[in-house]
């Protein structure tokens, strides 16, 4: 999970530039929930 979390920081920066800061937080939260679901 730590590796994915480090990757999401880079992805969130690119999403923030493309779509805005609030949407980038929402999208990364969805990604994290998917990772938690997959790990479960």
């Amino acid at each position: 999970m730590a590796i994915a979390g480090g990757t999401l920081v880079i992805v969130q920066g690119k999403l923030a530039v493309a779509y805005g800061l609030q949407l980038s937080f929402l999208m990364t939260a969805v990604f994290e929930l998917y990772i938690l679901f997959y790990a479960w």
Side-chain angles (χ1 to χ4, degrees), residues 3-7 10-11 14 21-22 24 29 31 37-39:
I3 294 171
T7 303
I10 296 168
V11 171
K14 291 182 181 186
L21 190 60
Q22 289 181 335
S24 72
F31 295 153
F37 174 75
Y38 185 74

Side-chain angles (χ1 to χ4, degrees), residues 4-23:
T7 303
L8 284 178
V9 171
I10 296 168
V11 171
Q12 185 177 6
K14 291 182 181 186
L15 288 173
V17 169
Y19 299 109
L21 190 60
Q22 289 181 335
L23 189 59

